[in-house]
Amino acid sequence: MDTAKLFPWFILLNPLIAAVLILVATRKNHGLSAVISVGSAFFGLAAALCAWSLPEVHSAVQWIDFGSALQIPLGVKLDHLAKTMLLVVAGIGFLVHLYSTVYMEHDESKARFFGHLSLFMFSMLGIVLADNFAMMFIFWELVGVSSYLLIGHWFTRDSAGKAANKAFIMNRLGDFGFMLGILMLWAAFGTVGFDQMRGMVNDGSAMQIFRQNLPAGQFFIHAPLYLTVAVLLIFCGAMGKSAQFPLHTWLPDAMEGPTPVSALIHAATMVAAGVYMLARIAFLIEWSQAGEIIAWVGAITSILAALMATQQDDIKRVLAYSTLSQLGYMVMAAGLAPNAEGGPAMFHLFTHAFFKALLFLGAGAVIHALHHEQDIWKMGGLSKTMRVTTATFAIGTLALTGCPGLAGFFSKDAILLAAFGHNKALFGIGLATAFLTAFYMTRLFVVAFLGKHRSEAAHHGHDCPRAMTWPLVILAFLSILAAYGAVPHWFGIGHHEGAKIVPTLAILAFLAGSAVGWVLYSGAEKEPLSVPLLRNKFYFDEIYGAIVAGTQDVLAFIAAGMDAIVLLVVRAAGGMTLGLGYALRLFQVGNVQAYAFIFGLGVVGLIYFLVFR
């Protein structure tokens, strides 16, 4: 095997080695654990940058081999899509590792945190490099495990434990559909490899393969519908990982984890795994009829999450609902324009990773400086005491809201452009979401950073050490510049009917949302616009809680009924046994005359039967 084919394996195994060293050998040495984890992340970033100098690499080793019945390799693929995602995961990952050295400096379980962080990096890189569904699913589950460990890092807090459990369970619901979809595709194609499936679709042999592999009883629904069902089941996995409606409720609660975890997992990488997976199977979405459904799920998620964000007071939860909304944008784009192998969806994923990580790390700097205060109404005036944090947070806010010239403007408009060309209703939802994004982010910035101090902690706030501020500065530059190299490849603004009107409407939405947010919240001392329905997140948690409780009650009633029936049957059987035993006991009296009498009755009965039969 040549060096080029070994390179992706080095990228993949590098964080695993770090995780094993930390969790096995250096867990009690906090300083060394941090050095190993940060060093691993640095080498991962260097390797991700070097990967762009290599041609497309594909390397695999056989894992399961049952002849023609089933063959599953462990394979890695380094193509343009993987290289783009590698840059996101490794780049954000290194900055978060560096930031965490200060943020988690006094944490009692610092070594365990860095060990789990490296384990997460290994799991996420496995998804990025996987060349088949089976390998992707293995790492998909590993990401779920590592995120569970990181969200519940402060497991002594009940809220953290509950949030970790909620994230794990909600993702398992989506993953069950993902697994069924993989099995359906394997049954139809006879393989789980992405390239093999794409080859069959492109050369027109897929239908014939379907007819050969599917029994007549399964093929009766005909291939397009079968494929659509399979792709929608695969999409269930993305609904869980990327927190799409109705499996969206776990993501805001996951903010109970340390802020670096929020930045790495729940802003830039883990939640983007669903979008990346959709980009990887874009040829299946295009060939099936699932694209429209996927787009509508994304659109509904984007508008619902944006509405919820307008009424949140926790700085991290505002950003969490913003992440939900932007993921909805990406999923909508993945459904509308799959033929570009992700196209606008991957473009927005790429730019969003930088400015959302910036915002989360900026929020972490505020929380760190204000002694873990997260209520924006107890902040205010931070622009006077935290100048670097304020400046970088402002850049992240402008990028997210779609300010012209910044990265978010180009990638968001690429999605709106795709929607404009495919479905005007979805375009309208996207434009409304853009307005709401500008509104709630202006609200957040004005309340938290401008005006006067609303608490003693805010009055004494200060910029954090360089290990925390330098990542903010780097991410701020990337939030400005990240889109420019990608615009010619992904945007294609000069070749579309909406090339002029879409950017104009997007700019108007940005200006209108920002203006309304400024007018309502500039100088406000308390929430001037209270909407209980939005503040309580449309009562989704309460509804789900009632459904779970009701289901438990029904199951408990059924179980109690079954117990009563089983008890009745058992008691009846026991009673019959006792009665029969009592009756038989009457014949076992131990008296010879009684036995002779019974014998005589038997002889008389036998004679009667023989004579009168």
Side-chain angles (χ1 to χ4, degrees):
M1 188 178 290
D2 59 40
T3 305
K5 290 191 174 183
L6 287 174
F7 193 71
W9 292 104
F10 165 76
I11 296 175
L12 176 61
L13 296 176
N14 167 50
L16 177 62
I17 295 171
V20 171
L21 285 175
I22 293 170
L23 296 175
V24 174
T26 65
R27 186 170 175 178
K28 293 184 179 180
N29 190 328
H30 291 185
L32 183 57
S33 297
V35 170
I36 291 173
S37 188
V38 174
S40 170
F42 174 76
F43 282 117
L45 174 58
L49 292 171
C50 292
W52 284 90
S53 64
L54 297 175
E56 182 172 316
V57 178
H58 187 197
S59 175
V61 293
Q62 201 64 26
W63 177 41
I64 296 176
D65 189 353
F66 291 125
S68 59
L70 177 64
Q71 290 186 346
I72 299 178
L74 289 178
V76 291
K77 182 177 181 180
L78 198 58
D79 59 359
H80 183 271
L81 192 61
K83 291 175 184 177
T84 301
M85 195 67 180
L86 269 181
L87 200 58
V88 171
V89 175
I92 302 298
F94 170 68
L95 293 174
V96 169
H97 276 73
L98 185 62
Y99 180 96
S100 299
T101 57
V102 175
Y103 192 90
M104 302 296 290
E105 184 176 8
H106 302 294
D107 191 90
E108 295 179 355
S109 302
K110 181 178 177 181
R112 174 165 57 85
F113 173 82
F114 278 104
H116 292 160
L117 211 58
S118 292
L119 178 63
F120 170 80
M121 291 293 289
F122 166 67
S123 307
M124 192 66 210
L125 290 172
I127 291 177
V128 174
L129 294 170
D131 76 336
N132 63 77
F133 271 120
M135 183 172 173
M136 178 176 279
F137 186 77
I138 292 169
F139 284 97
W140 196 269
E141 296 305 302
L142 280 173
V143 164
V145 171
S146 52
S147 67
Y148 169 81
L149 295 171
L150 286 167
I151 295 169
H153 175 73
W154 291 319
F155 59 86
T156 53
R157 300 181 184 176
D158 287 341
S159 57
K162 290 178 180 178
N165 287 332
K166 186 175 184 180
F168 193 80
I169 292 169
M170 294 294 279
N171 273 274
R172 296 296 72 70
L173 293 174
D175 293 352
F176 180 70
F178 189 21
M179 181 176 63
L180 292 179
I182 292 173
L183 291 174
M184 287 183 68
L185 289 177
W186 170 64
F189 284 98
T191 180
V192 291
F194 299 130
D195 287 344
Q196 292 87 338
M197 291 183 184
R198 181 186 286 107
M200 295 178 198
V201 172
N202 291 342
D203 66 17
S205 65
M207 286 296 182
Q208 183 62 33
I209 298 293
F210 272 34
R211 293 182 186 276
Q212 293 174 2
N213 291 333
L214 292 178
Q218 290 181 326
F219 194 76
F220 78 95
I221 59 174
H222 71 83
L225 181 55
Y226 182 95
L227 181 66
T228 298
V229 172
V231 171
L232 289 177
L233 286 170
I234 293 289
F235 175 57
C236 287
M239 288 173 65
K241 277 289 182 290
S242 293
Q244 296 299 287
F245 171 84
L247 301 180
H248 65 283
T249 57
W250 69 268
L251 183 63
D253 288 350
M255 297 302 109
E256 290 294 336
T259 299
V261 173
S262 303
L264 178 63
I265 298 180
H266 307 116
T269 56
M270 172 185 163
V271 292
V275 178
Y276 175 78
M277 184 264 286
L278 294 177
R280 183 58 82 190
I281 64 165
F283 65 97
L284 291 176
I285 298 175
E286 185 180 12
W287 194 44
S288 71
Q289 300 166 357
E292 195 74 15
I293 297 173
I294 292 172
W296 273 103
V297 170
I300 292 169
T301 303
S302 68
I303 192 72
L304 283 179
L307 287 168
M308 295 177 199
T310 61
Q311 290 285 287
Q312 302 305 307
D313 296 334
D314 185 315
I315 187 170
K316 286 174 66 176
R317 284 184 176 266
V318 174
L319 298 178
Y321 282 107
S322 171
T323 299
L324 277 176
S325 184
Q326 298 304 305
L327 288 168
Y329 258 137
M330 299 175 208
V331 170
M332 179 176 71
L336 288 174
N339 58 333
E341 215 180 44
M346 282 301 297
F347 185 17
H348 197 51
L349 184 156
F350 181 76
T351 61
H352 174 265
F354 298 116
F355 52 74
K356 186 54 65 66
L358 166 60
L359 291 170
F360 266 110
L361 294 183
V366 171
I367 294 167
H368 186 270
L370 271 59
H371 307 293
H372 301 286
E373 179 59 67
Q374 296 185 202
D375 189 340
I376 61 174
W377 293 101
K378 294 180 181 178
M379 297 177 185
L382 298 181
S383 60
K384 303 169 187 175
T385 55
M386 302 182 68
R387 291 192 174 91
V388 175
T389 304
T390 301
T392 55
F393 200 95
I395 292 172
T397 298
L398 290 172
L400 174 60
T401 53
C403 177
L406 276 69
F409 169 75
F410 296 107
S411 59
K412 174 177 60 63
D413 280 18
I415 294 175
L416 292 176
L417 199 63
F420 186 86
H422 288 80
N423 188 313
K424 297 299 191 293
L426 291 175
F427 171 73
I429 293 174
L431 200 62
T433 301
F435 167 83
L436 290 170
T437 303
F439 170 74
Y440 66 70
M441 286 305 299
T442 301
R443 168 184 180 266
L444 169 60
F445 187 81
V446 168
V447 172
F449 290 91
L450 304 183
K452 62 181 182 180
H453 304 300
R454 296 189 185 85
S455 68
E456 191 65 22
H459 181 74
H460 294 289
H462 55 82
D463 276 318
C464 297
R466 291 181 180 179
M468 290 179 69
T469 55
W470 272 111
L472 299 181
V473 174
I474 294 170
L475 288 168
F477 276 106
L478 291 172
S479 297
I480 298 171
L481 304 173
Y484 286 94
V487 169
H489 176 70
W490 272 311
F491 201 32
I493 193 167
H495 308 286
H496 197 282
E497 59 173 326
K500 294 181 179 179
I501 190 171
V502 169
T504 302
L505 292 175
I507 292 172
L508 290 175
F510 159 71
L511 293 174
S514 301
V516 173
W518 182 273
V519 170
L520 280 177
Y521 291 96
S522 182
E525 294 296 321
K526 61 180 181 179
E527 177 62 60
L529 187 67
S530 183
V531 183
L533 181 65
L534 304 183
R535 183 170 291 274
N536 291 284
K537 302 154 287 188
F538 291 97
Y539 298 97
F540 277 113
D541 285 316
E542 290 77 5
I543 292 170
Y544 289 169
I547 291 173
V548 171
T551 303
Q552 288 177 334
D553 290 341
V554 171
L555 291 175
F557 177 78
I558 293 172
M562 293 297 293
D563 282 344
I565 293 171
V566 170
L567 185 61
L568 180 62
V569 171
V570 170
R571 285 182 174 176
M576 290 175 62
T577 303
L578 287 173
L580 182 60
Y582 181 77
L584 291 174
R585 192 163 63 244
L586 295 176
F587 297 100
Q588 303 294 324
V589 295
N591 187 290
V592 176
Q593 290 87 344
Y595 292 158
F597 176 73
I598 294 170
F599 179 77
L601 285 179
V603 171
V604 171
L606 181 60
I607 294 171
Y608 179 85
F609 175 75
L610 292 173
V611 174
F612 296 102
R613 63 176 179 173

